[in-house]
Amino acid sequence: MAKKSMVLRDEKRAKLVRRYAKKRQALKEVIASPKSRPEDKQAAQEKLQSLPRDSSPSRMRSRCSITGRSRGYYQKFGLSRTKLRELTLEGNIPGMRKASW
């Protein structure tokens, strides 16, 4: 089980990402647009850098929905490798079974 503080920190980051998503997208469009003047691009870059650091989606960490573990995470299932294995052996994940050959 992951530390509760780490899980809560990631939840706080996710909330910040959702809150600033539109503003970040608008600023990035101004920066990427070839029609924008250099002064506008510079101003947009400064505004983007002044936003909270944790509002960037790349700072979020994928975590297991059951344990909160961040390592060995399978995005397709939303689980860590350990819980995925346990649930597979119990037969709770349709279509998956332990490999044997």
Side-chain angles (χ1 to χ4, degrees):
M1 193 85 178
K3 288 175 66 174
K4 186 117 177 135
S5 61
M6 299 303 282
V7 174
L8 292 175
R9 185 182 301 169
D10 277 338
E11 289 174 5
K12 180 182 171 187
R13 284 182 180 150
K15 193 161 70 170
L16 273 173
V17 167
R18 285 192 303 271
R19 189 159 101 197
Y20 287 99
K22 290 181 183 176
K23 186 179 271 189
R24 292 183 77 84
Q25 183 63 31
L27 291 171
K28 286 188 173 200
E29 286 174 3
V30 170
I31 293 168
S33 173
K35 296 179 181 178
S36 297
R37 297 188 337 233
E39 301 86 27
D40 295 338
K41 287 185 179 188
Q42 181 68 29
Q45 284 178 342
E46 290 172 2
K47 286 181 184 176
L48 189 64
Q49 288 175 353
S50 69
L51 293 177
R53 185 179 276 182
D54 283 342
S55 68
S56 174
S58 62
R59 288 182 62 93
M60 286 182 12
R61 187 82 193 217
S62 301
R63 292 191 174 271
C64 175
S65 58
I66 298 173
T67 62
R69 181 182 167 89
S70 63
R71 307 265 179 125
Y73 174 80
Y74 285 84
Q75 188 172 4
K76 183 175 181 180
F77 302 101
L79 300 170
S80 66
R81 61 183 174 80
T82 53
K83 282 297 171 185
L84 181 66
R85 185 171 191 272
E86 285 176 17
L87 293 174
T88 300
L89 291 174
E90 293 171 5
N92 293 333
I93 300 179
M96 278 193 78
R97 62 189 178 120
K98 186 174 181 288
S100 60
W101 59 90

